[in-house]
Amino acid sequence: RLREARSNPAFDDGRNVRVAVLDTGIDQDHSRLKANVDRYIYRADDLGVVSGTRDILAHGTHVGGAVATDPMPGNNEGVSNARLHIYKIFDDDLDDMDTFRDRAGNIFIQDIHYVNSVMYRRALAACLDENFEVINFSIGGSGQGDSREQALYRQIAAQDQVIVAAMGNERRDGSPTSWPAAYPGVTAVGALD
């Protein structure tokens, strides 16, 4: 359907739309993304944590690619040609490890990384200042943020920025409420299976 839409003479590919992606960073040298990345904020030297250009989990690269990639005929394409502003909100330090079993009984070890709260708050404040057309958060959790976080979301929503946040893919767990997706003015996105 995207290719069909692109063939319409009235199609707007969003090249004038600025999208902020707050995630794990981005592969800034990715051949299909680099043309769409206007800004990449990843440094946190003053915090005493490691935060380099590398996308530690490849998730931000995945999300940025879903939003905007250089279209190539016959390949997967992003939904737009928007201008990406990437804010890395995870430092590169491993926070924990977890062991789990899949349905087949195989044991896996998973690295756990948590959002760096200071990097996250700085990115939220930047979104407020920059007044992006769209902001994407692929983060979420069961705890509602403190009053400062809630105030930032209210102010961003009041500027009519489109805010999209992950609500978790936890249908099998009863679809628990996930924040920031549950804040007023935020579009919650999740998968059923």
Side-chain angles (χ1 to χ4, degrees), residues 59-81:
H59 193 269
T61 301
H62 162 75
V63 171
V67 172
T69 54
D70 184 23
M72 294 177 65
N75 290 315
N76 291 334
E77 301 172 2
V79 296
S80 74
N81 198 20

Side-chain angles (χ1 to χ4, degrees), residues 39-108:
R39 186 180 331 166
Y40 182 18
I41 307 297
Y42 63 88
R43 297 186 68 123
D45 299 338
D46 60 320
L47 301 180
V49 297
V50 176
S51 181
T53 60
R54 188 173 59 96
D55 181 355
I56 56 173
L57 300 175
H59 193 269
T61 301
H62 162 75
V63 171
V67 172
T69 54
D70 184 23
M72 294 177 65
N75 290 315
N76 291 334
E77 301 172 2
V79 296
S80 74
N81 198 20
R83 310 309 311 153
L84 297 173
H85 295 256
I86 309 298
Y87 292 87
K88 186 171 181 175
I89 59 172
F90 291 77
D91 59 51
D92 294 344
D93 295 326
L94 178 65
D95 293 307
D96 204 351
M97 293 179 74
D98 190 18
T99 303
F100 66 95
R101 287 184 188 272
D102 66 8
R103 290 184 187 153
N106 300 310
I107 298 175
F108 293 91

Side-chain angles (χ1 to χ4, degrees), residues 7-162:
S7 68
N8 184 322
F11 180 75
D12 180 351
D13 70 357
R15 72 183 62 236
N16 295 316
V17 175
R18 297 174 315 132
V19 177
V21 176
L22 283 66
D23 212 301
T24 59
I26 197 165
D27 176 1
Q28 65 182 3
D29 295 323
H30 193 289
S31 62
R32 304 243 344 261
L33 283 174
K34 63 184 176 182
N36 292 75
V37 177
D38 280 355
R39 186 180 331 166
Y40 182 18
I41 307 297
Y42 63 88
R43 297 186 68 123
D45 299 338
D46 60 320
L47 301 180
V49 297
V50 176
S51 181
T53 60
R54 188 173 59 96
D55 181 355
I56 56 173
L57 300 175
H59 193 269
T61 301
H62 162 75
V63 171
V67 172
T69 54
D70 184 23
M72 294 177 65
N75 290 315
N76 291 334
E77 301 172 2
V79 296
S80 74
N81 198 20
R83 310 309 311 153
L84 297 173
H85 295 256
I86 309 298
Y87 292 87
K88 186 171 181 175
I89 59 172
F90 291 77
D91 59 51
D92 294 344
D93 295 326
L94 178 65
D95 293 307
D96 204 351
M97 293 179 74
D98 190 18
T99 303
F100 66 95
R101 287 184 188 272
D102 66 8
R103 290 184 187 153
N106 300 310
I107 298 175
F108 293 91
I109 297 176
Q110 178 180 17
D111 294 344
I112 298 175
H113 295 270
Y114 296 109
V115 169
N116 180 295
S117 59
V118 176
M119 294 170 75
Y120 170 58
R121 290 279 171 86
R122 287 178 180 173
L124 279 177
C127 288
L128 182 61
D129 291 342
E130 291 286 335
N131 199 11
F132 294 108
E133 286 80 13
V134 180
I135 305 167
N136 183 84
F137 302 91
S138 291
I139 60 169
S142 59
Q144 187 173 3
D146 63 22
S147 60
R148 288 178 292 174
E149 179 183 292
Q150 292 177 47
L152 282 167
Y153 276 94
R154 279 194 306 274
Q155 292 169 334
I156 290 169
Q159 291 182 166
D160 292 329
Q161 296 179 75
V162 175

